[in-house]
Amino acid sequence: MNSSVMMKFNVIKGKLILFMILILTASVTILTINYYSLKINASIRAYINGESLYAKGQKDATYYLSKYLYFSDSSYISQYQKAISIPVGDKMARVILENDGDEQLVRKYFIQGNNHPEDIDNMIWLFKNFNEVGFFQEILKIWIEADSNIEELSGLADDIFSQTEGGKLANKDEKKFYQGKLSSLNTELSSEQYKFSATLAEVGRKVEKYLLYFNFIVIIIILFSTLVVIYFILKRLDNQNRKLKIINHELDKFVYSTSHDLRAPISSLKGLVYLACREKDPENLKTYFKLMTESLERQDNFISEIIDLSRNKRIEVSLSVFKPGPLIDQVIENHQFMQNAKKISFKKKIEISQLKMDKSRFMIIVNNLVSNAIKYHDSRKLNKFIRIELKRQEGKIHLEISDNGIGIKPEHKEKIFEMFFVTQNKSKGSGLGLYIVSDVLGKIGGIVKLESEWEKGSKFIIQWPDFE
């Protein structure tokens, strides 16, 4: 009987493993194909956008050259040069890519061509990986022809500029001749630009069509496989979910009860220590009580951090509008009791008068970063400072807290946001502060970046969405 049950179990287990491997393989395949298909389409769109900028630059250059031809106003020269630099930038990028040149130069010239910086990686990737493929060869041929006409346009411009400056281009016939050449070049370039965009667009449509067919087939396979095992998965998930709810409830109760039970005697002991220090006892007794106070304060801070962490896990984000400046002042004031805090100069640059944010989480972020900066100040420096900046930038809220403290060693930078990680003297902190900051930011869709140099100082750059 036991043998039969074991065999059935092994059969079910084997089927589950087989189905999961099938689903995983299909998922990885479709994700890979989708990734590269989307990358190809994004690259194609970048080139189409680049072509429109190329065309606009060429047409503007032709326009300003025509204006200069008839009016001889030198202001049109700079406008022409600015416009022609766009297609020239794309041309130089192409030439360097064809010769497998420096990518930094390619970036420089693509940016000169007014291409968006975030599109350039995709443009370089498509060129390097598909320059031998048929569709790209056709596009490249059109591009080279257009660049040849741009060179001709530049040569014509040099001729016009030199003659008008020498006073040679005076009669209408000569002006008509140059205007005719400009018009002819403009027509040729417009035709080539249309072919370039049309070819790219057709490739994009084909990629999307093939991707649709492939996705449909793979999704059918995944759905069929999933239906076979879904009953077992749902049943197991239901059991696990019930267990997790119980565990979470017990964990919340444990954190709350433990913190409450510990903080009550801590408060009493701190009061007794304070009174004892005022008594006329020997100096060693005062020192002993002082150490007790410091120990209790660290324990109190540790419990507060656990509570912050627990609340962040349990409580949903609650947005409200408040003035951040007074809250930051309150945090600074609350930390004046810390050792050597009064020797540190606080510099503030608050550019936001009202902020929509989860107020308690905002306080947690500022409180932990200010506390951390004070703990790890550099006592050897005379002009110790902590700088706090709050501003809006590119649709996000930026909070920067920097100092000239002891900094963070390079080998510690990757671990600094891990739970319970402490870089220097463990007595200075629990190792939870920066972990809590990172955890809070994760809850509101924010990020934190670190810039630090050992013995020079640190800067924490925090960003989160502007909820206004």
Side-chain angles (χ1 to χ4, degrees), residues 312 315-323 327 354-363 365 392 397 440-441 443-446 464-468:
N312 185 59
I315 300 173
E316 293 300 318
V317 176
S318 176
L319 300 178
S320 62
V321 178
F322 57 89
K323 294 180 179 180
L327 291 184
Q354 282 196 330
L355 180 64
K356 188 174 184 181
M357 166 66 163
D358 188 311
K359 188 175 180 180
S360 64
R361 285 182 168 89
F362 178 79
M363 289 288 285
I365 293 169
R392 283 187 171 89
I397 303 298
V440 167
L441 287 168
K443 195 83 171 181
I444 61 172
W464 65 84
D466 190 349
F467 297 110
E468 287 289 349

Side-chain angles (χ1 to χ4, degrees), residues 123-367:
M123 295 172 78
I124 294 172
W125 175 83
L126 188 70
F127 195 106
K128 286 194 168 184
N129 289 278
F130 292 86
N131 61 358
E132 298 296 331
V133 178
F135 82 88
F136 202 89
Q137 284 287 307
E138 185 179 349
I139 291 166
L140 199 56
K141 183 180 177 182
I142 299 168
W143 191 351
I144 292 169
E145 288 174 358
D147 284 346
S148 176
N149 284 329
I150 289 294
E151 288 177 9
E152 189 176 345
L153 178 61
S154 297
L156 191 62
D158 290 340
D159 193 15
I160 290 171
F161 293 151
S162 63
Q163 291 205 42
T164 50
E165 286 175 1
K168 298 176 184 177
L169 198 62
N171 63 65
K172 291 182 179 180
D173 290 336
E174 287 179 314
K175 290 181 179 180
K176 265 188 182 180
F177 168 77
Y178 282 110
Q179 187 60 53
K181 294 196 76 172
L182 285 174
S183 179
S184 176
L185 274 175
N186 191 54
T187 301
E188 286 182 34
L189 280 163
S190 296
S191 175
E192 287 159 357
Q193 288 154 6
Y194 173 79
K195 285 191 290 183
F196 187 94
S197 294
T199 304
L200 281 170
E202 181 60 24
V203 172
R205 285 190 289 271
K206 285 181 179 178
V207 170
E208 288 176 356
K209 183 173 70 173
Y210 293 144
L211 177 61
L212 180 63
Y213 292 156
F214 180 84
N215 283 350
F216 180 78
I217 294 169
V218 176
I219 287 169
I220 292 297
I221 295 171
I222 292 174
L223 287 174
F224 176 79
S225 303
T226 305
L227 287 172
V228 178
V229 296
I230 196 166
Y231 171 77
F232 299 100
I233 295 173
L234 287 176
K235 187 175 181 180
R236 185 162 183 82
L237 284 174
D238 185 60
N239 291 334
Q240 292 296 325
N241 191 44
R242 283 199 297 269
K243 291 178 182 178
L244 284 172
K245 284 182 179 178
I246 294 169
I247 291 170
N248 284 335
H249 177 72
E250 290 175 349
L251 180 61
D252 288 342
K253 185 178 179 181
F254 168 79
V255 171
Y256 178 80
S257 300
T258 304
S259 62
H260 182 270
D261 292 342
L262 285 172
R263 293 189 77 172
I266 287 172
S267 299
S268 300
L269 282 169
K270 285 171 71 175
L272 290 172
V273 169
Y274 176 78
L275 292 174
C277 287
R278 287 181 168 274
E279 296 293 331
K280 295 180 179 180
D281 291 332
E283 289 298 321
N284 60 340
L285 185 60
K286 288 184 179 181
T287 302
Y288 175 73
F289 282 137
K290 183 180 179 183
L291 290 173
M292 286 179 61
T293 303
E294 291 174 354
S295 177
L296 289 171
E297 284 176 349
R298 285 197 299 272
Q299 189 67 16
D300 192 29
N301 290 334
F302 177 70
I303 294 167
S304 297
E305 288 174 341
I306 292 175
I307 293 170
D308 286 342
L309 185 59
S310 175
R311 284 175 177 167
N312 185 59
K313 297 286 189 186
R314 293 183 295 109
I315 300 173
E316 293 300 318
V317 176
S318 176
L319 300 178
S320 62
V321 178
F322 57 89
K323 294 180 179 180
L327 291 184
I328 292 172
D329 290 337
Q330 181 183 330
V331 169
I332 296 170
E333 182 64 29
N334 291 343
H335 285 81
Q336 290 302 301
F337 70 90
M338 291 182 68
Q339 187 176 8
N340 293 321
K342 292 184 178 180
K343 297 179 181 179
I344 299 172
S345 172
F346 283 87
K347 303 175 182 181
K348 297 178 297 175
K349 187 179 179 183
I350 312 301
E351 299 180 3
I352 301 174
S353 58
Q354 282 196 330
L355 180 64
K356 188 174 184 181
M357 166 66 163
D358 188 311
K359 188 175 180 180
S360 64
R361 285 182 168 89
F362 178 79
M363 289 288 285
I364 288 171
I365 293 169
V366 178
N367 184 75

Side-chain angles (χ1 to χ4, degrees), residues 72-91:
S72 299
D73 186 344
S74 60
S75 65
Y76 291 122
I77 296 176
S78 60
Q79 291 172 302
Y80 159 82
Q81 290 170 339
K82 183 179 178 182
I84 199 67
S85 69
I86 295 172
V88 168
D90 286 339
K91 171 201 161 187

Side-chain angles (χ1 to χ4, degrees), residues 1-15:
M1 181 68 178
N2 289 338
S3 176
S4 176
V5 171
M6 185 61 68
M7 286 178 65
K8 287 181 180 179
F9 175 78
N10 287 335
V11 169
I12 292 172
K13 183 179 177 182
K15 287 182 178 179

